[in-house]
Amino acid sequence: MGLLDFLNKGQEKPAPDAPKQPTKKDTDSVFDKPGGQVKPPVTEQPIANADKATPSSIQTEPVQTLTYTVKSGDSLSKIAQQQYGDGTQWRRIFEANKDIIKDPNLIHPGQTIKIPK
């Protein structure tokens, strides 16, 4: 409100709502972070039924396995070729038998191993 308005009206009125000036907090964004890294804001959301989830209530599908007795001349890739039709799947057999097989290149006749399906 100017001086002439005051003199003309005889009383001072508050100015109409001026647009709010942005504050530092208003202008902060995830794009203003140092290093140009965009980090989304972290919000915590409760997990639905978290108090009801117990290990016994979580259902998992059982893994089907066969057993195989290693013969002379066998290797994991030969066994994978016989069982899966693909010798490159030997890692599946190795991973399922890490408790028995320490080195995938050293398997011995007579060892009984698991073949995951």
Side-chain angles (χ1 to χ4, degrees):
M1 179 178 259
L3 180 60
L4 291 176
D5 291 333
F6 177 75
L7 294 174
N8 289 337
K9 304 270 181 170
Q11 56 183 339
E12 186 174 349
K13 292 183 180 177
D17 289 337
K20 178 183 166 193
Q21 294 295 323
T23 64
K24 176 67 177 153
K25 189 173 187 176
D26 293 336
T27 60
D28 281 349
S29 76
V30 293
F31 299 105
D32 295 334
K33 303 297 180 212
Q37 295 177 348
V38 176
K39 293 185 180 179
V42 177
T43 58
E44 291 186 24
Q45 300 263 341
I47 299 173
N49 299 324
D51 56 334
K52 295 178 185 175
T54 62
S56 62
S57 68
I58 299 172
Q59 295 183 3
T60 59
E61 191 172 310
V63 176
Q64 294 180 344
T65 60
L66 300 175
T67 56
Y68 178 84
T69 303
V70 177
K71 297 180 214 122
S72 180
D74 277 345
S75 66
L76 291 181
S77 61
K78 284 183 184 178
I79 297 168
Q81 181 66 43
Q82 291 170 357
Q83 298 296 320
Y84 304 127
D86 182 6
T88 62
Q89 296 290 319
W90 65 268
R91 283 186 180 89
R92 287 175 64 187
I93 300 170
F94 177 63
E95 292 295 323
N97 293 283
K98 279 191 168 183
D99 57 331
I100 299 168
I101 304 171
K102 302 303 177 202
D103 182 349
N105 296 313
L106 295 175
I107 59 173
H108 305 287
Q111 281 182 314
T112 302
I113 59 174
K114 297 172 275 200
I115 309 293
K117 286 290 176 181

